[in-house]
Amino acid sequence: MLGWAIAFLVIALVAALLGFGGIAGASAGIAKILFVIFLILFVVAMVARAVRGKPPL
């Protein structure tokens, strides 16, 4: 998930450098959404791991 977010961020940066504002904005929006989903899943996984008795990373 984090890899996809980084990929869309790179696409957004390249599109912005080349002057494609619409594509850059859409790619940046997708990257933000994927990053938030990644953070939520990461926190849920850490809480689940702690509940099972294993220490967090």
Side-chain angles (χ1 to χ4, degrees):
M1 182 79 58
L2 186 58
W4 282 102
I6 292 171
F8 276 106
L9 178 64
V10 169
I11 291 170
L13 291 174
V14 170
L17 286 174
L18 295 176
F20 298 108
I23 296 172
S27 295
I30 292 171
K32 287 179 189 177
I33 291 169
L34 288 175
F35 186 70
V36 169
I37 292 171
F38 166 77
L39 285 179
I40 291 169
L41 291 175
F42 180 74
V43 169
V44 168
M46 290 295 108
V47 169
R49 185 177 173 101
V51 168
R52 283 187 283 160
K54 297 180 181 176
L57 296 174

